[in-house]
Amino acid sequence: MQEIDIIKAIANERRLQILDWLKNPQAHFPPQTDGDLVEDGVCAILIAEKLGLSPPTLSEHMRVLSQAGLVRPKRIKQWIFYKRDEERISALKMLLQERL
C-alpha cells in the first residue's frame, strides 16, 4: 500500500478512535467469551457497539485499517477479532518523521 493510502486510512476520526482503543483493549472493552483481548484482539461486534455503528459499517472501517497494515484480523469461530500491528504502526511513524 502506498503512503497516501495509509494516510487516508488514519484520516478518519472513527478509525483513529479504534486504533486508540486497541492500544489498551482491557481498559476500553469488557472481557470476551472467545478470544483474549490482548492476545487475540477485540471482537468486531464489541468495537461496532462501542462506536454505535452497524457491523457492515464497522467492517468497512476495519477493512481499510487492515489493508493499510495497521490492524491484523484473526478469525475465531464465526467472529473476527482485531489487534493493532505495532510493528507496522512504528514503521509508519518513522516514515512520517522522515517525510515531514
Side-chain angles (χ1 to χ4, degrees):
M1 180 166 265
Q2 294 183 353
E3 295 167 20
I4 192 72
D5 295 324
I6 295 169
I7 292 169
K8 286 179 183 178
I10 61 172
N12 179 283
E13 185 66 31
R14 287 189 170 153
R15 290 193 285 266
L16 284 176
Q17 183 66 67
I18 293 165
L19 288 171
D20 185 52
W21 288 336
L22 293 180
K23 270 191 228 177
N24 186 0
Q26 292 173 314
H28 298 285
F29 296 96
Q32 305 173 131
T33 303
D34 295 311
D36 180 78
L37 285 170
V38 175
E39 293 298 315
D40 300 312
V42 179
C43 180
I45 297 298
L46 293 178
I47 300 169
E49 288 174 358
K50 190 165 178 84
L51 280 173
L53 298 176
S54 68
T57 301
L58 177 76
S59 179
E60 178 60 20
H61 285 299
M62 300 314 292
R63 182 190 64 75
V64 171
L65 289 171
S66 293
Q67 285 184 340
L70 302 174
V71 298
R72 287 179 282 146
K74 179 178 185 177
R75 180 175 287 280
I76 300 176
K77 297 182 181 178
Q78 73 270 27
W79 311 110
I80 303 292
F81 294 75
Y82 292 96
K83 181 178 179 175
R84 284 170 51 113
D85 186 333
E86 296 298 342
E87 282 185 34
R88 179 75 169 168
I89 290 170
S90 291
L92 173 61
K93 287 177 183 177
M94 290 175 52
L95 176 68
L96 289 175
Q97 286 178 335
E98 289 172 8
R99 297 290 298 243
L100 295 178

